[in-house]
Amino acid sequence: MKERFEKIRRLIASPKGRNAATFMVFLAIAAVLWVVQVLNDDTQRDIRCSVRITNVPDSLTRVSPIPEAITVSVRARGTQLMKFLWTKAPEMNIDFRTYKSGNRISFGDQALRAYFRNMVGAGSQVQAITPDSLNISFTSRPGVELPVHVDATVLPGPQYAINGKVRALTDSVMVFSLDALPARLTSVSTAPLVLNDVKASQTVRMPLIVPPGARAIPDSVDIRIDVEPLVSKMRRVPVSASNVPHGMKMITVPAQVEVYYMVPMSTYKKTEADPRFTVEADYRSISGDKVAVQIARAPKDFINVFLSTDSVEYILEQ
């Protein structure tokens, strides 16, 4: 190590070493001067600010939405904008006691521009603001508890079925409003949900729809969709005769036919002895030596129900 350091020292002490060191010093000075000049030049930057309202009385409830963020396009010196580069996203902190007008907080375009010019610093110029105004209302009315109605159209994929109803995991919400709620409003509906070819259980977060000037707390709920695969089954069902004239008897050959259907896997064993199938042979549908057979009754929760044949032979007895 000593030999290495001695070699470096001799290299720096040489004419070439001194020239290189001098060059590096001037290069560093030039870089510092360049940075200072750049920071003193005007530049334009978009700043995304979150919005927070403080010191709201407990007797008031906000009914207007607060924008997730306000985007401000500002032109200022680089030194003024540096603080927004190295710190977390700035926040527009609105003190209710300072900015309230009755039970409302309002910021027009000019008021927002003045607020952000003050935030950035003297000499800054606000080029554009999105949104360009804030109007936030509060109410002192007590909330009304209303049940949640799910507006959903869900179609399962082939070989799958919806297990039970599509339901909201939150039964009811509190609705706050500026004016009295309409008497016809007896529930709060989710935004329409349409899903096709669903093959797996899932939970979807959906917003709630409320009248203008109202707010639901919470303003969105989780919708649960339970999906399970279908299983094919077959059962032999006796054929019963219908519309046979008085004094006659119709016997079908065979006396039983096969019924095929599909059921959700969770109910596979429960349907083993299900008595709700009825297959009929209508005397009026006799054609030659055959009589048509059809399913007269089948469980509503069975899917793709069909017979192995559409007709059977018969024997008439007096």
Side-chain angles (χ1 to χ4, degrees), residues 6 24-25 61 72-73 93 132 163 191-192 200 250 256 258 265:
E6 182 62 25
M24 295 301 295
V25 169
T61 303
V72 184
S73 180
N93 195 336
D132 59 3
N163 185 9
M250 184 170 66
Q256 295 182 333
E258 296 173 343
M265 183 176 291

Side-chain angles (χ1 to χ4, degrees), residues 94-108:
I94 304 174
D95 190 327
F96 181 85
R97 299 170 301 184
T98 303
Y99 295 99
K100 71 174 181 176
S101 176
N103 286 347
R104 180 186 297 271
I105 292 176
S106 296
F107 277 83

Side-chain angles (χ1 to χ4, degrees), residues 57-71:
D58 293 338
S59 60
L60 297 180
T61 303
R62 178 177 57 82
V63 294
S64 300
I66 296 179
E68 184 176 328
I70 295 180
T71 302

Side-chain angles (χ1 to χ4, degrees), residues 1 3 12 14 25 69-70 74-75 94 100 119 137 153 176 205 236 239 248 251 255 264-265 307:
M1 291 296 292
E3 292 179 358
I12 295 175
S14 67
V25 169
I70 295 180
V74 62
R75 188 172 187 83
I94 304 174
K100 71 174 181 176
M119 174 188 287
S137 299
T153 302
F176 297 85
R205 190 75 178 179
R236 298 186 64 83
V239 179
M248 297 185 64
I251 301 173
M265 183 176 291
L307 293 172

Side-chain angles (χ1 to χ4, degrees), residues 97-165:
R97 299 170 301 184
T98 303
Y99 295 99
K100 71 174 181 176
S101 176
N103 286 347
R104 180 186 297 271
I105 292 176
S106 296
F107 277 83
D109 181 70
Q110 294 303 318
L112 283 177
R113 288 175 180 270
Y115 184 96
F116 287 109
R117 278 197 301 268
N118 183 63
M119 174 188 287
V120 176
S124 61
Q125 300 176 15
V126 176
Q127 305 294 321
I129 301 177
T130 305
D132 59 3
S133 62
L134 286 179
N135 290 288
I136 305 169
S137 299
F138 297 80
T139 184
S140 58
R141 284 179 171 274
V144 177
E145 186 174 8
L146 293 176
V148 174
H149 168 71
V150 177
D151 183 1
T153 302
V154 181
L155 300 178
Q159 308 298 318
Y160 289 87
I162 305 298
N163 185 9
K165 292 183 177 181

Side-chain angles (χ1 to χ4, degrees), residues 9-207:
R9 187 190 66 79
R10 288 197 302 268
L11 180 62
I12 295 175
S14 67
K16 290 184 178 181
R18 288 196 297 271
N19 290 339
T22 303
F23 173 77
M24 295 301 295
V25 169
F26 280 102
L27 181 62
I29 294 173
V32 171
L33 292 175
W34 178 82
V35 170
V36 171
Q37 182 178 354
V38 169
L39 291 178
N40 281 322
D41 287 343
D42 283 351
T43 184
Q44 186 167 326
R45 183 175 298 277
D46 289 341
I47 302 173
R48 185 177 172 87
C49 299
S50 59
V51 180
R52 188 166 72 98
I53 301 176
T54 58
N55 297 316
V56 179
D58 293 338
S59 60
L60 297 180
T61 303
R62 178 177 57 82
V63 294
S64 300
I66 296 179
E68 184 176 328
I70 295 180
T71 302
V72 184
S73 180
V74 62
R75 188 172 187 83
R77 295 193 307 276
T79 52
Q80 292 176 304
L81 297 176
M82 278 188 63
K83 58 185 177 182
F84 300 110
L85 296 177
W86 308 112
T87 60
K88 66 177 183 179
E91 184 177 71
M92 184 180 183
N93 195 336
I94 304 174
D95 190 327
F96 181 85
R97 299 170 301 184
T98 303
Y99 295 99
K100 71 174 181 176
S101 176
N103 286 347
R104 180 186 297 271
I105 292 176
S106 296
F107 277 83
D109 181 70
Q110 294 303 318
L112 283 177
R113 288 175 180 270
Y115 184 96
F116 287 109
R117 278 197 301 268
N118 183 63
M119 174 188 287
V120 176
S124 61
Q125 300 176 15
V126 176
Q127 305 294 321
I129 301 177
T130 305
D132 59 3
S133 62
L134 286 179
N135 290 288
I136 305 169
S137 299
F138 297 80
T139 184
S140 58
R141 284 179 171 274
V144 177
E145 186 174 8
L146 293 176
V148 174
H149 168 71
V150 177
D151 183 1
T153 302
V154 181
L155 300 178
Q159 308 298 318
Y160 289 87
I162 305 298
N163 185 9
K165 292 183 177 181
V166 178
R167 67 191 190 281
L169 299 184
T170 302
D171 295 332
S172 60
V173 295
M174 297 298 295
V175 179
F176 297 85
S177 60
L178 295 175
D179 302 313
L181 293 173
R184 65 179 182 277
L185 186 67
T186 56
S187 64
V188 178
S189 177
T190 63
L193 173 65
V194 179
L195 296 175
N196 295 310
D197 197 28
V198 179
K199 298 178 181 179
S201 299
Q202 56 188 280
T203 300
V204 183
R205 190 75 178 179
M206 294 298 295

